[in-house]
């Protein structure tokens, strides 16, 4: 992805689109052949990247430190965050850019934290361990390979759940599913604190592990069908499904599919489990899963029970987070349930309340009146009065996914961000942010219940642009426009759809990229189609503007086809295509980026490295390493020689010799997944938009004319597959 060439002085916006992307293999920041520094720019210390937010993240799990409940770890889609003051302030603990699915902390060794990650790219799934309270992390992948069911993932396995033996912190169990969406899985056991593993047995779709704190050898496992119980530390397992059966409409009897499960710390024989029968249901056992009884039968309008937590001091009080209906509480062991108030993020198109998108609920073990809710994309909510009132607890939780930003040239402190949870707005240069979603996606539903009622949500936005007094944004449900700085949004006319890209040249037009390319010369008031003949399933993914011309623009498609127009988009000619993918990263990341430097050089970022054309697109040469993933490019409008590249796992790189050699740009940027790059009006600041770590800002040095030292380039062979 790229923001195009938005760095020209006076550029009004910066934008870029989200792609399916994934963290590359973590390795040293010195990349042989690509990172050779051939630019002499003085001996000044590297400028520091500064985090701007927006605060918020998708929180998958919580874990309290046993000896200090004010210390809470949050597993997010962008790493592990930690708070030492009960959620008032968060900091990134580690595993930046990785999707962390679960956490485990054992009472016998409170400084040891285990994190399970999802497979979002080569080498990303597995177990990571910290033995110093989250300050540093190391992988524990040895033995996660499965010789009976081998795969290209090797030891990189998606970890769904972890459990630490309460009596021996060296003994750890890990539930592994063999593909990102695979239902088949295995149970692995470690006897050295998570450093190495052995496969114990196979289960179908492992979801959860929980152990009895008073009898560490007693462990409960959720895997289809129902619940399993072990009384010898996970060596042997027996079904524990009595009471979980139901009769389907076809007359057949099945075992309920269980999702979340929770054990009551004050009475470990009591467990709560939520799952699906003919509807969604909640079951309770008071005898250690020997018998279950139905406690709550949710009607068809209730969708996706996500998490259960039990009051640590009262086994009869439990909380159930439901995706469609908020947070439910029972004070009497499941006999009655009530919906907690003050957990509504807005209204749907029919005026009905829409709850926050819950993922996980947790209760403070030393202070039961304090409850934490982890949300999709919106971070953490906290209640200090048992769920009566709630407030955000997101300071420092910079885990938002940002795909684009729009800037106001008349007021540099005003900016808008397209995020995974809609639009966000800042009036103070990014120090604070507020949601600006009124009218976006209100008539669109991600889930449809049996009642046929849509469940609205704040949609993922893929792009945003500001032209004059008009904002244009595109998301999952369509393209929207706002004429009041984002206070309210309305749907664009039928047929107007695509990611907005603004031409930064003087008097530049606005374009929408999709299965067609649309152009507007009046700030989005009216549109005309550009005459591009796309093939079936082909669409425009990037648009770059030639700073050496007032009319030339170049389109890059998802098929890596490259087209140039010299008359503003009326006619097009095909250039040489960017070489096709031929590297191991291909199945995991399909992001493409495009930029044109001030010297007319075309640069294309792919999953298989960076390519350059210095003959106006007649041929392409590969620059540097073939496995470096480059989803973002942006040319510096202040200097024809300067260009920046956003990578996956290696931060932002800069070149001051027209893309010949590259070096790290600035310091202090976590190894995040860079989704886009954008310049401030005037080009003095560079913004790195990340997939899960928010926005980072870098104050750029003055433009420098470089001393060139060019190594020979090697031609690519697009047809050769390695």
């Amino acid at each position: 992805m790229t923001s195009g060439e938005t760095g020209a002085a006076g550029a009004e916006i910066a934008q870029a689109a989200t792609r399916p992307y994934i963290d590359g293999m973590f390795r040293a920041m010195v990349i042989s052949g690509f990172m050779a520094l051939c630019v002499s720019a003085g001996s000044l210390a590297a400028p520091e990247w500064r985090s701007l937010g927006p605060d918020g993240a998708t929180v998958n799990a919580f874990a309290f430190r046993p000896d200090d409940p004010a210390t809470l770890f949050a597993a997010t889609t962008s790493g592990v965050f930690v708070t030492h003051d009960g959620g008032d302030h968060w900091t990134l603990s580690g595993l930046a850019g990785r999707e962390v699915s679960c956490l485990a902390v054992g009472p016998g060794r409170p400084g040891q934290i285990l994190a399970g990650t999802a497979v979002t790219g080569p080498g990303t799934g597995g177990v990571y361990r910290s033995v110093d309270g989250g300050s540093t992390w190391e992988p524990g992948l040895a033995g996660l390979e499965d010789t009976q069911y081998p795969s290209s993932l090797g030891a990189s396995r998606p970890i769904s759940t972890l459990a630490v033996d309460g009596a021996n912190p060296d003994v750890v169990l890990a539930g592994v599913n063999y593909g990102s969406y695979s239902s088949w899985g295995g149970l692995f056991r470690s006897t050295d604190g998570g450093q190495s593993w052995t496969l114990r047995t196979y289960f179908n779709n492992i979801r959860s592990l929980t152990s009895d704190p008073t009898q560490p050898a007693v462990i409960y496992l959720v895997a289809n069908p129902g619940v399993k119980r072990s009384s010898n530390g996970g060596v042997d397992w027996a079904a524990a499904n009595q009471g979980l059966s139901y009769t389907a409409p076809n007359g057949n009897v099945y075992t309920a599919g269980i999702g979340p499960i929770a054990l009551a710390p004050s009475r470990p024989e009591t467990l709560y489990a939520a799952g699906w029968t003919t509807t969604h249901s909640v079951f309770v056992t008071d005898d250690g899963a020997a018998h279950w009884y139905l406690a709550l039968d949710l009607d068809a309008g209730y969708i996706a029970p996500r998490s259960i937590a039990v009051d640590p001091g009262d086994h009869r009080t439990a909380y159930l987070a439901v995706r469609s209906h908020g947070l439910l509480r029972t004070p009497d062991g499941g006999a009655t349930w009530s919906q907690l108030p003050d957990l509504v993020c807005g209204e749907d198109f029919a005026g009905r309340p829409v709850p926050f998108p819950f993922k996980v609920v947790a209760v403070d073990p030393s202070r039961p009146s304090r409850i934490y809710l982890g949300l999709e994309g919106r971070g953490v909510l906290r209640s200090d009065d048992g769920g009566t009132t709630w407030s955000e607890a997101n300071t420092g939780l910079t885990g938002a996914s940002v795909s684009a930003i729009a800037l106001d040239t008349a007021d540099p402190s005003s900016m808008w961000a397209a995020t995974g949870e809609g639009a966000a707005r800042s009036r103070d240069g990014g120090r604070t942010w507020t949601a600006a979603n009124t009218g976006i996606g209100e008539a669109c539903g991600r889930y449809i219940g049996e009642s046929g009622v849509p469940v609205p949500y704040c949609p993922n936005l893929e792009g945003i642009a500001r032209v004059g007094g008009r904002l244009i944004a595109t998301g999952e449900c369509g393209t929207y426009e706002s004429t009041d700085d984002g206070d309210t949004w309305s749907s664009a006319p039928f047929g107007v759809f695509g990611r907005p890209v603004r031409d930064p040249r003087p008097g530049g037009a606005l374009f929408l990229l999709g299965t067609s390319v649309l152009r507007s010369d009046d700030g989005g008031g009216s549109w005309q189609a550009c005459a591009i003949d796309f093939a079936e399933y082909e669409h425009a993914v990037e648009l770059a503007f030639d700073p050496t011309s007032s009319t030339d623009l170049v389109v890059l498609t998802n098929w890596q086809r490259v087209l140039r127009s010299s008359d503003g988009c009326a006619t097009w000619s095909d250039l040489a295509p960017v070489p096709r993918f031929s590297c191991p990263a291909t199945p995991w990341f399909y992001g493409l980026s495009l930029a044109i430097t001030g010297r007319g050089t075309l640069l294309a970022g792919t999953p298989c490295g960076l390519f350059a054309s210095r003959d106006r697109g007649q041929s392409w040469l590969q620059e540097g390493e073939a496995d470096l993933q480059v989803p973002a490019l942006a040319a510096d409008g202040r200097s024809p020689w300067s260009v920046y590249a956003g990578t996956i796992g290696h931060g932002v790189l800069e070149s001051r010799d027209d893309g010949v050699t590259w070096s790290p740009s600035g310091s202090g940027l976590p190894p995040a997944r860079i989704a886009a790059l954008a310049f401030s009006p005037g080009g003095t600041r560079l913004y790195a938009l990340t997939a899960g770590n928010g926005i980072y800002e870098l104050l750029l040095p003055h433009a420098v004319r470089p001393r060139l030292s060019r190594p020979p380039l090697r031609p690519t062979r697009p047809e050769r597959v390695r």
Side-chain angles (χ1 to χ4, degrees):
M1 277 162 284
T2 180
S3 55
E5 279 41 80
T6 53
E12 212 170 350
I13 87 110
Q15 69 286 312
T18 294
R19 304 279 182 273
Y21 36 59
I22 188 58
D23 191 347
M25 289 178 254
F26 276 69
R27 51 184 181 163
M29 281 301 295
V30 177
I31 304 172
S32 174
F34 192 85
M35 300 283 291
L37 178 59
C38 301
V39 178
S40 298
S43 58
L44 295 177
E48 289 278 341
W49 288 93
R50 181 171 70 96
S51 176
L52 296 183
D55 291 334
T58 293
V59 180
N60 295 320
F62 290 117
F64 293 92
R65 179 160 173 150
D67 61 340
D68 179 15
T71 295
L72 175 65
F73 295 89
T76 78
T77 53
S78 51
V80 178
F81 287 81
V82 63
T83 176
H84 298 289
D85 52 16
D88 290 339
H89 304 87
W90 296 86
T91 57
L92 180 63
S93 171
L95 306 183
R98 295 183 181 247
E99 181 173 345
V100 184
S101 52
C102 54
L103 296 167
V105 182
R109 194 177 294 154
Q112 175 178 289
I113 303 101
L114 295 165
T117 62
V119 173
T120 49
T124 56
V127 178
Y128 292 80
R129 184 180 75 150
S130 174
V131 296
D132 52 13
S135 297
T136 59
W137 294 82
E138 60 184 14
L141 302 180
L144 287 179
E145 303 94 340
D146 183 358
T147 57
Q148 183 173 351
Y149 296 96
S151 79
S152 60
L153 298 177
S156 181
R157 300 291 189 182
I159 309 300
S160 57
T161 181
L162 291 165
V164 180
D165 190 305
N168 182 0
D170 284 331
V171 176
V172 187
L173 294 177
V176 177
N177 291 324
Y178 287 151
S180 297
Y181 305 99
S182 172
S183 62
W184 191 247
L187 183 67
F188 286 76
R189 187 172 188 262
S190 172
T191 57
D192 55 12
Q195 297 180 76
S196 62
W197 301 86
T198 56
L199 177 64
R200 302 297 304 189
T201 187
Y202 294 104
F203 285 111
N204 185 19
N205 202 352
I206 297 176
R207 295 189 183 89
S208 180
L209 285 164
T210 186
S211 59
D212 186 332
T214 62
Q215 302 180 73
V218 175
I219 304 170
Y220 302 92
L221 179 146
V222 174
N224 282 350
V227 178
K228 280 76 178 167
R229 184 181 188 274
S230 173
S231 58
N232 56 6
V235 176
D236 300 298
W237 296 87
N241 296 327
Q242 186 170 339
L244 295 180
S245 60
Y246 68 98
T247 301
N250 61 8
N252 293 333
V253 177
Y254 298 99
T255 298
I258 300 300
I261 190 171
L263 179 147
S266 63
R267 191 178 186 275
E269 298 85 359
T270 297
L271 292 94
Y272 296 77
W276 54 95
T277 54
T278 53
T279 60
H280 288 92
S281 305
V282 179
F283 299 89
V284 179
T285 177
D286 291 317
D287 55 11
H291 305 84
W292 295 88
Y293 62 87
L294 180 65
L296 178 64
D297 199 5
L298 299 169
D299 63 45
Y302 282 72
I303 298 171
R306 290 293 185 86
S307 175
I308 303 175
V310 184
D311 187 313
D314 180 6
H315 70 280
R316 295 175 60 80
T317 299
Y319 301 86
L320 172 68
V322 182
R323 173 65 178 84
S324 61
H325 283 66
L327 188 66
L328 308 179
R329 178 175 61 191
T330 177
D332 49 21
T336 61
W337 296 80
S338 60
Q339 187 172 356
L340 295 183
D342 198 28
L343 287 171
V344 174
C345 67
E347 294 182 346
D348 68 6
F349 57 92
R352 294 167 299 197
V354 178
F356 283 101
F358 301 127
K359 286 279 286 186
V360 61
V361 58
V363 182
D364 189 325
S366 66
R367 186 178 173 181
S369 61
R370 172 168 285 183
I371 307 167
Y372 296 88
L373 279 171
L375 310 178
E376 287 184 9
R378 294 193 169 196
V380 177
L381 295 176
R382 186 183 71 191
S383 173
D384 291 327
D385 54 13
T388 302
T389 60
W390 297 84
S391 60
E392 291 187 351
N394 287 330
T395 301
L397 193 66
T398 53
S401 290
V402 182
S403 58
I405 59 173
L407 306 172
D408 187 346
T409 54
D411 180 10
S413 63
S414 293
M415 59 175 60
W416 294 261
T419 78
E421 292 299 317
R425 179 174 60 192
S426 175
R427 299 294 198 189
D428 53 13
R431 288 189 294 274
T432 60
W433 295 83
T434 57
N437 288 322
T438 301
I440 293 180
E442 289 182 337
C444 181
R446 177 174 293 162
Y447 301 102
I448 302 294
E450 293 181 13
S451 63
V453 177
V455 178
Y457 66 105
C458 299
N460 172 52
L461 288 184
E462 300 171 351
I464 193 167
R466 179 178 171 84
V467 185
R470 189 192 303 266
L471 285 164
I472 304 290
T474 295
E476 294 179 2
C477 298
T479 296
Y480 307 91
E481 56 187 13
S482 173
T483 56
D484 55 11
D485 287 343
D487 288 340
T488 59
W489 298 83
S490 59
S491 295
F494 178 79
V496 176
F497 181 80
R499 178 172 64 89
V501 178
R502 166 70 196 242
D503 185 344
R505 297 172 299 195
L510 177 67
F511 294 83
L512 293 179
L513 306 185
T515 53
S516 63
V517 176
L518 303 180
R519 173 179 174 136
S520 175
D521 292 299
D522 57 5
S526 60
W527 298 88
Q528 66 182 46
C530 296
I532 302 180
D533 185 18
F534 285 135
E536 189 176 8
Y537 306 117
E538 185 181 24
H539 60 272
V541 294
E542 293 299 340
L543 179 63
F545 306 92
D546 191 338
T548 67
S549 164
S550 61
T551 58
D552 280 23
L553 50 149
V554 176
V555 159
L556 177 63
T557 78
N558 59 314
W559 287 6
Q560 295 179 239
R561 182 181 169 205
V562 184
L563 303 96
R564 179 187 288 270
S565 174
S566 298
D567 53 15
C569 97
T571 61
W572 296 83
S573 58
D574 274 281
L575 306 179
V578 177
R580 302 292 289 178
F581 302 156
S582 59
C583 64
T586 302
W588 301 101
F589 170 67
Y590 295 94
L592 296 168
S593 55
L594 184 69
I596 307 176
T597 72
R599 296 184 57 80
T601 297
L602 274 68
L603 296 173
T606 78
C608 303
L610 183 69
F611 295 84
S613 175
R614 292 182 168 82
D615 54 10
R616 295 180 60 81
Q618 300 307 303
S619 62
W620 294 88
L621 297 171
Q622 187 163 28
E623 303 276 13
E625 294 290 310
D627 61 347
L628 188 73
Q629 301 179 24
V630 185
L633 285 166
D636 189 342
R638 303 172 306 159
S639 167
W641 300 90
S642 296
V643 64
Y644 294 83
T647 72
I648 292 181
H650 302 291
V652 176
L653 311 178
E654 64 177 304
S655 173
R656 297 186 182 180
D657 55 9
D658 201 36
V660 176
T661 60
W662 299 80
S663 62
S665 181
S667 61
L669 186 67
R673 297 171 284 176
I674 307 300
L677 295 172
F679 291 98
S680 65
T684 59
R685 285 174 168 81
L686 177 65
Y687 300 102
L689 319 181
T690 73
N693 290 100
I695 303 171
Y696 279 79
E697 177 190 65
L698 182 70
L699 182 63
L700 295 176
H702 295 295
V704 177
R705 174 66 179 263
R707 173 176 61 81
L708 300 182
S709 175
R710 178 182 176 83
L713 294 174
R714 66 181 189 276
T716 58
R717 296 184 175 89
E719 302 305 321
R720 180 168 63 95
V721 178
R722 301 179 181 180

